Amino acid sequence: MGELAALIAALTWSATSVALTSLSARTSPVVLSALRLGSATLLMPPILWISGQTGDLGEAPTWTLVQVILSGFVGYGLGDTVYILGLKRLGMQRTFPVTMALFIGLTVVGGVVLLDEPFSWGLPAGALLIGAGIYLIVIPGAAKLSQPALVPIAEPAAAALAPLPAQNSAKGPGADIAGYGILLLVGVLWAVATLWLASAKGDLGEVAAGAIRSPAGAVALLGFALAIQPHELKAPFLNRNHILAIVAAGVVGTAFGSLMYVYAVVTAGAAKTAVLSATSPLLAMPLSILFLKERFTQRIGIGTILCVAGIVLVVL
């Protein structure tokens, strides 16, 4: 059952990325990330109670709780918000595999260097494959900037949201380089948050840690959006289908998907779960073509496969 849970988590993340790409065309990344995390937070208390880890929060040292909360702010609050910005700017076919590869690669390297986790030769071999895959995925976008009409633009697919066409913000080489810099930043933020959590959580259970990480990101982002983007924060509530879609992305992607991942780690092991979760970019590719009308290219297909193969080598 653990292996099945890992595959369900991968499929859930892929489907959620499709929804976020669509929603990002009409929603501020900060607002979208805040409302998604807020929706997931509503499910955390019953999940925590069912897990039997409620007592962990009372027994954990204050500094442990503070660090877990800060890791949630870095990973969910900052990392996921920048990820949504990348989806809006570059589309899912480029954003998803690149950020996933960077996240896992940097996390494994950080685990070896900072946390004294065991080294294997799959690490450099996987890094080479990941680098090659990222090169194939990224370079076409940079090479075709002089022909903006050929750059694929993700368009929202859900008719219920009365979608507006997404705009490609890249106007020149500098702008596109900035877009790929966003992908690098996502990988770094997710890796930092994961390594911080791994080193700081101590005896705090996985579900207990997750139960305070999501609210941390949600509170910070909701406060920021309320202070800086009050009109954008209000806008989704004016359309019932729009706000329901955001809530669904939070409940299914952040709450249910994370729960499946934790269950898979506990029952199938971290390595096997990471390998199975690495299939998510391959699952995301047909979804992006079917629902977002993103254009498939051979380079993106080969690059995604190389990234997944590199991830498998890294985590084995």
Side-chain angles (χ1 to χ4, degrees):
M1 291 298 293
E3 292 82 356
L4 177 60
L7 289 174
I8 292 175
L11 180 59
T12 299
W13 292 337
S14 301
T16 302
S17 289
V18 172
L20 292 176
T21 304
S22 178
L23 290 166
S24 68
R26 59 173 52 250
T27 313
S28 160
V30 172
V31 170
L32 180 53
S33 188
L35 294 178
R36 179 179 64 91
L37 286 173
S39 303
T41 297
L42 297 177
L43 284 183
M44 290 305 174
I47 291 176
L48 179 62
W49 180 75
I50 292 172
S51 72
Q53 296 182 12
T54 307
D56 289 6
L57 298 179
E59 298 172 359
T62 301
W63 180 233
T64 295
L65 297 177
V66 169
Q67 291 188 86
V68 171
I69 289 173
L70 290 176
S71 75
F73 175 71
V74 172
Y76 289 139
L78 296 179
D80 284 11
T81 302
V82 178
Y83 174 68
I84 292 171
L85 181 61
L87 289 172
K88 181 177 182 179
R89 188 183 187 106
L90 296 172
M92 195 172 74
Q93 284 189 21
R94 289 192 171 92
T95 302
F96 198 11
V98 172
T99 53
M100 179 69 73
L102 288 172
F103 161 56
I104 294 181
L106 292 173
T107 300
V108 173
V109 171
V112 172
V113 175
L114 301 176
L115 304 180
D116 296 323
E117 293 184 355
F119 171 85
S120 72
W121 287 108
L123 178 59
L128 287 176
L129 287 179
I130 290 172
I134 291 174
Y135 176 86
L136 289 175
I137 293 170
V138 167
I139 291 303
K144 296 179 180 179
L145 283 173
S146 59
Q147 305 174 36
L150 298 181
V151 179
I153 299 177
E155 297 181 356
L161 297 180
L164 299 173
Q167 300 296 321
N168 186 357
S169 59
K171 303 296 183 183
D176 201 65
I177 291 174
Y180 293 121
I182 289 174
L183 304 189
L184 175 61
L185 180 59
V186 173
V188 171
L189 289 172
W190 282 350
V192 168
T194 300
L195 293 170
W196 197 352
L197 174 64
S199 64
K201 77 179 187 70
D203 295 330
L204 194 64
E206 291 85 355
V207 178
I212 60 175
R213 290 181 84 228
S214 295
V219 169
L221 287 175
L222 284 171
F224 180 82
L226 187 62
I228 305 299
Q229 300 180 343
H231 296 295
E232 290 84 349
L233 181 59
K234 180 181 177 181
F237 293 94
L238 301 178
N239 186 315
R240 184 181 64 179
N241 290 331
H242 192 180
I243 191 64
L244 287 178
I246 295 176
V247 170
V251 171
V252 175
T254 304
F256 178 72
S258 298
L259 180 62
M260 287 293 98
Y261 185 82
V262 169
Y263 177 81
V265 170
V266 172
T267 57
K272 185 176 291 187
T273 300
V275 171
L276 294 173
S277 298
T279 62
S280 54
L282 291 179
L283 297 173
M285 191 184 305
L287 293 177
S288 70
I289 296 170
L290 181 62
F291 293 105
L292 301 177
K293 309 304 180 186
E294 292 188 357
R295 186 179 60 186
F296 174 79
T297 68
Q298 187 178 38
R299 290 175 69 93
I300 288 178
I302 295 174
T304 301
I305 292 173
L306 287 177
C307 283
V308 173
I311 292 171
V312 171
L313 284 178
V314 165
V315 300
L316 281 178

